[in-house]
Amino acid sequence: MINQENLYQLLYKENWKEILDILYEEKENIKNDTLLTFASKTFENEFLKKVQEYEIDKIEIPDYLQTMYILHHGKFYTLSDENYKQLIVEIVKRKSVQEAYLYAIKFPEEEICKDIISKYEHEKIKEEGLKLKKVEKLPVNWIEIYNRLFEIINHPEDTATYFSGPRFIDTVRKFEPYFPTYPQFIEQRNNEGKSTSRKIFYYDILLGLNENSRNNIIKRILEILKPFEANKVQQIENIIGGEIVTIPSSLEQKKENKNPTIFISYSWDNEEHKKWVLDLSDKLCTDGINVILDRYYLTPGKNLPHFVENNLNKANRIIIIFTPNYKLKADKRTGGVGYEYSIMNVDLYANQTSNEKIIPLLRSGSTEDSIPTFMRQFIHIDARNDENFLNSYNDLVREIYNEPEIKKPELGTKPIF
């Protein structure tokens, strides 16, 4: 077992990778040993202090910072609040704007994070323009609706109902977060030679958004105005009738969506295994299952952590395809597999007795060789025998659709004796 002196010696030599490995491998001992806990906290403070002194282009430092981030989010080692913020700041310093943005939004009040967020949004504007699209659908009396609305929000002397340019665009950004800020929008309008009259550009913005966003922005503005101009708001709502709809919650969306969404977590063992996983994904799609697979979406330049974090939450179920190589990467928390497994474990640890999200599937190797220890408590689907693939596949699809082959019959009545 490691002791605190070993940690201090590694700390003195600045052997950061070895210490980070110890934080994971000895996590239980560290939690239960006061001296080891203290030594770990000393490392945490000294490491982040030293990182600030290193050159930004020191190659190995981003990997160390990323490892510490994964340890913290996987709840294998918990940083103090102040050090977590410092960790995020140091990661932001060393990432490209696109990658740094995903971390910067965690602490948007920090100066360097503000700068990255601003640069990212500016690049988005250049790349996507103002996100104004061709009009899809408008209420029949759209012009009357807009004129009545603008009449209410166009009184500067009434601070409650007046919508200045910044206030209007801030409302838009609640539903379209990548929409430009007010200064960026005005700069773009000037560059394009378009009018910056509020009545004209409010109209252009609403007209150019998708129907769902436009409806919800108008609904939100009317909610703000109603306590002050109830009669006028009611008149607008009467004209709109049933045109405006509210964005359903994520739970409601899942209930309404008859096609389940699944995320597949696997390791790129070899070309044969990658093809097997791709074929499985294609077959699931043909059976009405929306599959989130990295090979469908990730191309060079795309951000892997963002893809994983964003899509794991979207999925109704997660299929983990276990192989010896998957277990190796999951145990060491390396690569995309390590990152995915760390995030999934957080949810699993919290819901050990009621796992209704993750479906373990054993593709190769023995249970001991291929499935991490913690995951062995869950019943898995055995897909190692290709000759029996259809039976395994049928079990998988039934599980995804929650249609078990064997169902308990309804409880009858007591027989007459």
Side-chain angles (χ1 to χ4, degrees), residues 25-49:
E25 293 166 0
E26 301 287 339
K27 51 188 176 293
E28 295 303 324
N29 292 328
I30 290 172
K31 288 178 185 175
N32 299 320
D33 188 307
T34 305
L35 293 176
L36 274 176
T37 299
F38 184 80
S40 300
K41 288 297 173 186
T42 302
F43 153 72
E44 175 186 327
N45 294 326
E46 288 301 311
F47 171 65
L48 289 171
K49 189 185 298 180

Side-chain angles (χ1 to χ4, degrees), residues 42-167:
T42 302
F43 153 72
E44 175 186 327
N45 294 326
E46 288 301 311
F47 171 65
L48 289 171
K49 189 185 298 180
K50 283 282 187 183
V51 165
Q52 296 177 60
E53 300 171 5
Y54 292 144
E55 296 292 331
I56 293 295
D57 57 358
K58 194 171 174 63
I59 297 173
E60 66 274 17
I61 296 302
D63 288 339
Y64 299 157
L65 293 169
Q66 188 70 36
T67 300
M68 184 172 269
Y69 175 82
I70 291 172
L71 287 172
H72 177 81
H73 275 268
K75 299 192 184 302
F76 303 113
Y77 178 82
T78 304
L79 298 164
S80 68
D81 291 344
E82 191 58 35
N83 281 339
Y84 176 62
K85 182 187 289 187
Q86 185 59 44
L87 172 69
I88 295 299
V89 167
E90 294 302 327
I91 290 175
V92 167
K93 287 180 185 176
R94 291 166 170 79
K95 294 279 188 181
S96 65
V97 171
Q98 191 173 29
E99 288 182 290
Y101 173 79
L102 301 171
Y103 298 93
I105 56 178
K106 297 178 186 296
F107 294 101
E109 73 283 358
E110 292 293 310
E111 283 305 316
I112 188 168
C113 295
K114 282 182 187 176
D115 185 48
I116 287 294
I117 292 170
S118 176
K119 287 180 180 176
Y120 178 84
E121 290 178 344
H122 190 68
E123 287 184 5
K124 274 286 180 185
I125 294 167
K126 284 183 177 178
E127 181 183 334
E128 300 179 6
L130 298 177
K131 298 190 76 171
L132 301 182
K133 306 175 183 70
K134 184 179 179 181
V135 178
E136 299 165 358
K137 181 183 178 183
L138 288 170
V140 175
N141 298 316
W142 163 245
I143 293 176
E144 182 183 353
I145 291 168
Y146 177 74
N147 286 338
R148 285 176 177 270
L149 179 66
F150 190 79
E151 181 188 7
I152 305 174
I153 65 176
N154 191 37
H155 296 284
E157 70 280 0
D158 187 345
T159 55
T161 62
Y162 179 63
F163 271 72
S164 63
R167 185 184 186 187

Side-chain angles (χ1 to χ4, degrees), residues 60 65 95 113 160 172 181 202 261 274 286 301 323 355 367 414:
E60 66 274 17
L65 293 169
K95 294 279 188 181
C113 295
V172 171
T181 61
Y202 289 6
T261 296
K274 285 163 60 179
T286 62
T323 62
N355 169 36
T367 302
K414 178 182 176 181

Side-chain angles (χ1 to χ4, degrees), residues 175-223:
F175 299 93
E176 291 282 338
Y178 294 132
F179 196 87
T181 61
Y182 176 72
Q184 292 168 337
F185 181 86
I186 294 300
E187 179 186 0
Q188 186 77 11
R189 295 282 287 192
N190 285 328
N191 290 340
E192 294 174 353
K194 294 180 179 178
S195 172
T196 55
S197 158
R198 287 186 309 108
K199 186 169 185 178
I200 294 175
F201 80 70
Y202 289 6
Y203 184 86
D204 287 349
I205 289 174
L206 290 173
L207 213 61
L209 294 171
N210 65 62
E211 181 186 355
N212 198 46
S213 292
R214 179 172 58 249
N215 286 348
N216 283 280
I217 290 164
I218 293 173
K219 184 175 186 295
R220 177 60 184 148
I221 293 174
L222 292 177
E223 286 173 352

Side-chain angles (χ1 to χ4, degrees), residues 341-378:
Y341 192 72
S342 295
I343 295 174
M344 290 185 288
N345 258 5
V346 175
D347 185 60
L348 274 176
Y349 275 113
N351 302 283
Q352 293 185 43
T353 58
S354 59
N355 169 36
E356 295 181 353
K357 188 158 187 174
I358 293 178
I359 304 173
L361 188 150
L362 179 60
R363 173 56 185 159
S364 65
S366 65
T367 302
E368 292 74 20
D369 291 339
S370 302
I371 304 180
T373 305
F374 176 72
M375 288 294 300
R376 289 178 204 159
Q377 63 183 298
F378 303 112

